[in-house]
Amino acid sequence: MKLLVELNQSQRVALGGLLVILLPCFFPTLFTPLGRASPSIFSEWNAPKPRHLQLLKGALQLQTSDRQQANLWSPLANQGWKPCVDSADTPLLPKKSQGYVQVFLDGGLNQQRMGICDAVAVAKILNATLVIPHLEVNPVWQDSSSFTEIFDIDHFINVLKDDIFITKELPSKYSWSTREYYATGIRATRIKTAPLHASAIWYLENVLPVLQSYGIAALAPFSHRLAFDNLPAYIQRLRCKVNFEALVFVPHIKALGEALVNRIRYPPIESGAGGTEYLQDRTNEINHKQGAGKFVVLHLRFDKDMAAHSACDFGGGKAEKMALAKYRQVIWQGRVLKSQFTDEELRNQGRCPLTPEEIGLLLAALGFSNTTRLYLASHKVYGGEARISTLRKLFPLMEDKKSLASAEELAKVEGKASLLAAVDYYVSMHSDIFISASPGNMHNALVRFSS
């Protein structure tokens, strides 16, 4: 009898262990990874409560006058800036190219966009032929989208045809020059020593000889590898031309972006049957009569990558701290020097990214009311909807891609971080006010000068 009891206990332990193993199969939502709409009971993260309750209560009760609102939305006075792309002194194309320049661009879409501008400038400095840039797979977003999946390649080449030589593919004699080739050994044609913000002279002294010897040079890494200061004016203007004229999104991204802009400017109205409908086909006459609605784009840079790299505490408790520390070690292998400081020290130095709650309080303090139409430009917010809830409480009219578009409309971009970022970029370009929660490449790329 005793033996039977012991066997039953062993069986129960084994059964319990089997149940734990099979739980994710039968109840996958319980094990949803961080960053989805709501945390699971087995998540690394527990939804923090608002950390600034008194400020939140005050912001929710805040009233702004019509005059304050008018001042808030008024365009800035003319600052005297002129378009950067106009130029009559750009050197003509030489009769012969010095060789082929390849660049391999890492980072997110906006960092890659700035890298493309630099690549065109470097090709001009070297009188070289630029191979359409290779976009690396981002280790965080795991997106393999290529240049041609994001940008209109024919438009890109046509706009720059009088500035530099461009080719879509290398000729067959250089077909060996691939990302895989450079990943498997030290190659004489790879330039990987370009310093951050290198000068034009550096490229002439270090890259031009490689071009003249081998006919090709591959630059990797290349992010932020060209200076902004002490360059000829025509090179700076060429950078602007690339960013604001040559880099145009493919048609389906532009169409989706335009649809989102129209929908946030013209929110749903009650139909006679009590339902809602989007006003998609307004004519210019209707626009004139009813007026276009204004909206703000908030680029909320609060993904897991940024949260981990900041080494700050965001109120998720011990589990969150441990998870971010582990993630930081895996991605950067101890190279995040900020982790040696306390959260208080980092915050006193202003080195912690604003949380959705904090940026919401900031917008309220600036005078944005709860009737403000807010578009959230973000891929995956660290903590998902639970983390955003306070921001949504302050701005109940907040929208994003998924709330404004159908699943069918998002099908071509869903799961592709670079394409989703391209849609956000398009909407941001057409917003009345653009606000970035933290410094980064997107707001740099969006700056447009007008006379």
Side-chain angles (χ1 to χ4, degrees):
M1 189 64 154
K2 183 178 178 182
L3 178 61
L4 181 61
V5 171
E6 289 176 349
L7 286 174
N8 286 339
Q9 288 175 337
S10 299
Q11 289 172 341
R12 283 196 294 272
V13 171
L15 184 61
L18 181 62
L19 183 61
V20 169
I21 294 173
L22 294 177
L23 263 176
C25 300
F26 294 108
F27 304 101
T29 56
L30 292 177
F31 296 84
T32 301
L34 187 64
R36 299 297 292 271
S38 57
S40 72
I41 60 174
F42 294 96
S43 171
E44 64 183 50
W45 177 83
N46 296 312
K49 296 178 182 179
R51 306 182 81 181
H52 310 282
L53 276 174
Q54 292 302 316
L55 290 175
L56 177 59
K57 290 178 182 177
L60 290 170
Q61 297 170 2
L62 191 64
Q63 298 292 326
T64 55
S65 67
D66 291 342
R67 184 176 180 180
Q68 287 176 306
Q69 285 293 307
N71 290 336
L72 193 62
W73 292 96
S74 296
L76 291 175
N78 191 315
Q79 303 295 307
W81 295 103
K82 296 181 179 180
C84 59
V85 296
D86 295 342
S87 175
D89 61 350
T90 300
L92 297 175
L93 273 175
K95 292 182 178 180
K96 184 180 179 182
S97 167
Q98 294 282 0
Y100 295 92
V101 168
Q102 286 178 291
V103 295
F104 299 90
L105 302 175
D106 53 16
L109 174 66
N110 296 304
Q111 181 172 319
Q112 290 172 337
R113 185 185 187 100
M114 304 307 288
I116 294 168
C117 299
D118 289 348
V120 171
V122 167
K124 183 69 174 179
I125 291 168
L126 298 171
N127 285 329
T129 299
L130 176 66
V131 183
I132 290 297
H134 174 86
L135 308 185
E136 299 276 30
V137 177
N138 188 290
V140 177
W141 307 126
Q142 293 297 312
D143 184 0
S144 59
S145 297
S146 66
F147 185 102
T148 55
E149 290 177 284
I150 303 170
F151 301 107
D152 186 330
I153 189 171
D154 293 324
H155 177 85
F156 179 79
I157 293 173
N158 185 59
V159 169
L160 298 172
K161 67 180 185 299
D162 296 326
D163 298 291
I164 64 167
F165 299 107
I166 304 176
T167 183
K168 293 181 181 179
E169 296 178 351
L170 285 168
S172 57
K173 66 179 291 188
Y174 295 113
S175 60
W176 47 266
S177 185
T178 63
R179 184 69 184 86
E180 292 71 29
Y181 172 74
Y182 293 111
T184 55
I186 298 174
R187 312 296 185 185
T189 53
R190 179 184 175 186
I191 309 295
K192 64 177 187 177
T193 57
L196 290 173
H197 310 301
S199 67
I201 293 175
W202 187 93
Y203 282 96
L204 292 170
E205 292 179 347
N206 294 274
V207 181
L208 185 57
V210 176
L211 284 175
Q212 293 171 333
S213 297
Y214 300 96
I216 188 170
L219 301 167
F222 189 67
S223 295
H224 310 295
R225 289 315 197 272
L226 181 62
F228 284 97
D229 299 323
N230 301 317
L231 288 176
Y234 72 87
I235 292 293
Q236 304 288 43
R237 284 191 285 266
L238 181 58
R239 273 172 154 166
C240 287
K241 186 175 183 178
V242 178
N243 191 38
F244 302 126
E245 293 185 6
L247 287 175
V248 170
F249 295 125
V250 292
H252 76 87
I253 290 178
K254 289 174 62 179
L256 178 56
E258 192 166 337
L260 299 187
V261 170
N262 286 335
R263 291 169 189 177
I264 197 166
R265 285 201 187 280
Y266 306 104
I269 61 170
E270 292 296 325
S271 67
T276 61
E277 57 183 11
Y278 279 116
L279 309 181
Q280 299 179 10
D281 301 317
R282 292 175 179 262
T283 63
N284 289 335
E285 181 180 358
I286 294 175
N287 282 338
H288 179 71
K289 287 181 180 179
Q290 297 186 347
K294 297 180 183 294
F295 72 98
V296 177
V297 166
L298 172 60
H299 185 214
L300 185 60
R301 302 187 69 226
F302 197 77
D303 51 54
K304 186 174 183 179
D305 193 55
M306 172 169 275
H309 193 271
S310 73
C312 299
D313 177 13
F314 299 105
K318 185 177 180 180
E320 179 186 77
K321 290 181 182 178
M322 292 177 63
L324 290 179
K326 181 179 179 181
Y327 181 86
R328 192 160 48 243
Q329 181 60 34
V330 170
I331 300 296
W332 295 287
Q333 286 103 40
R335 296 194 300 272
V336 181
L337 299 180
K338 289 184 287 186
S339 59
Q340 62 186 295
F341 297 102
T342 67
D343 179 70
E344 184 178 0
E345 289 172 330
L346 290 170
R347 290 192 179 278
N348 288 339
Q349 296 169 20
R351 300 173 76 176
C352 294
L354 294 174
T355 65
E357 175 191 2
E358 290 165 344
I359 192 65
L361 292 170
L362 174 60
L363 293 181
L366 288 173
F368 291 101
S369 70
N370 62 1
T371 61
T372 300
R373 293 172 187 160
L374 190 67
Y375 178 87
L376 188 62
S378 182
H379 181 50
K380 287 185 178 179
V381 176
Y382 180 60
E385 184 60 35
R387 183 78 78 176
I388 301 173
S389 60
T390 302
L391 177 62
R392 194 179 298 282
K393 191 178 296 183
L394 288 165
F395 298 98
L397 300 183
M398 186 171 70
E399 305 279 7
D400 59 18
K401 294 177 289 291
K402 292 188 177 180
S403 67
L404 290 170
S406 67
E408 291 76 18
E409 290 174 309
L410 292 171
K412 287 187 177 181
V413 299
E414 191 62 53
K416 299 179 180 180
S418 292
L419 300 188
L420 291 167
V423 174
D424 282 342
Y425 187 97
Y426 187 92
V427 176
S428 300
M429 278 200 305
H430 293 83
S431 65
D432 299 281
I433 297 175
F434 174 79
I435 297 172
S436 182
S438 299
N441 293 295
M442 186 167 180
H443 74 272
N444 290 332
L446 280 167
V447 173
R448 291 177 292 175
F449 299 139
S450 58
S451 58

